[in-house]
Amino acid sequence: RSYKTTCNMGKLLKEAGQQRARFAGILGEEFTEKGVVVLKDMEGGVQVDIEMKLLAKAILQRLGRFGERGIEL
């Protein structure tokens, strides 16, 4: 999480990396109107558009914690 007042996405993502964040969610007006969030994998650098309602499931799948029967804790 960032409490910075900057709107510079590069600086915010750099800070997320320094904090060892595994993922970053990128929201913007154009995304929220579509009900989408951009999920950036901070380790691999890959980013994908995900429906907001599927965000938690997508993160758990990428962490290998969502199996056929749901969440595996």
Side-chain angles (χ1 to χ4, degrees):
R1 65 183 186 244
S2 177
Y3 300 102
K4 306 285 183 187
T5 57
T6 183
C7 292
N8 183 314
M9 187 62 62
K11 286 183 180 181
L12 293 171
L13 289 172
K14 182 178 179 182
E15 179 185 343
Q18 290 171 340
Q19 296 295 320
R20 296 186 180 263
R22 179 61 167 74
F23 300 100
I26 302 169
L27 295 171
E29 188 174 329
E30 66 276 8
F31 301 120
T32 55
E33 288 175 358
K34 298 177 190 176
V36 171
V37 61
V38 176
L39 180 64
K40 179 170 178 117
D41 182 327
M42 298 300 289
E43 289 181 2
V46 176
Q47 59 185 53
V48 294
D49 294 354
I50 303 283
E51 288 183 56
M52 285 186 193
K53 64 183 179 181
L54 300 175
L55 182 60
K57 181 178 177 180
I59 291 171
L60 289 170
Q61 284 176 327
R62 283 161 175 75
L63 292 173
R65 300 195 47 203
F66 194 92
E68 293 177 14
R69 294 177 292 181
I71 299 173
E72 298 173 0
L73 300 176

